[in-house]
Amino acid sequence: MAALAVSGCGFGPVDVEPFEVDPAAADTCAAVLQDLPEVVGDAVRRDVEPESLPAAAWGEPAIVLRCGVNLPAAYEPGARLLEVDGIGWFPEPGDGGMFFTSTDREVLVEVAVPDDYAPEGELLHDLAPAIASHIPERELR
């Protein structure tokens, strides 16, 4: 799990920590990113660096979505998930906020939400339509 700390002065690009993405997820992630909203909560979408990553960001401090991530190390089969608009999210506290990973989808999406946006899970409502429409559910093991 990455730390929530992202750099970027003002509303310039958000530096997203690089992560390994399954090449098979590229088209799915591109479709999700294209359908994500311009505003999450009251946070406006921002550019990300590097641009090649399947990631999106909103607001300051930045809410960061990464598509095509691996299961979190702390996840175990049968873990309790937070259900938001039909998507099962694995919540995990992190450095500076909460991380939510959509563990019930064929391609996993992680959303890092800084403490400033508490209750953090409420923002997932804005992201759910793009994820649900492009990433099918998978059978949990």
Side-chain angles (χ1 to χ4, degrees):
M1 175 173 48
L4 271 180
V6 290
S7 60
C9 286
F11 287 94
V14 175
D15 290 330
V16 177
E17 184 176 320
F19 60 102
E20 191 154 334
V21 180
D22 179 352
D27 289 342
T28 299
C29 288
V32 169
L33 292 175
Q34 186 162 351
D35 272 359
L36 289 170
E38 288 300 310
V39 177
V40 172
D42 62 358
V44 176
R45 192 157 177 179
R46 298 173 57 188
D47 292 333
V48 297
E49 288 289 334
E51 292 179 8
S52 60
L53 288 176
W58 298 263
E60 179 67 33
I63 299 160
V64 177
L65 177 145
R66 301 186 317 156
C67 184
V69 299
N70 293 318
L71 277 171
Y75 177 80
E76 295 178 1
R80 179 174 283 210
L81 301 179
L82 171 66
E83 191 276 326
V84 177
D85 297 337
I87 298 175
W89 297 92
F90 176 68
E92 188 175 17
D95 185 23
M98 288 292 292
F99 288 82
F100 298 92
T101 306
S102 61
T103 57
D104 69 343
R105 298 286 147 170
E106 288 182 5
V107 173
L108 305 185
V109 173
E110 175 195 83
V111 181
V113 184
D115 289 331
D116 296 41
Y117 297 97
E120 296 89 342
E122 291 295 313
L123 298 175
L124 300 175
H125 289 285
D126 294 338
L127 303 172
I131 294 166
S133 66
H134 294 288
I135 307 176
E137 286 185 63
R138 71 177 178 91
E139 205 170 302
L140 295 177
R141 297 176 197 126

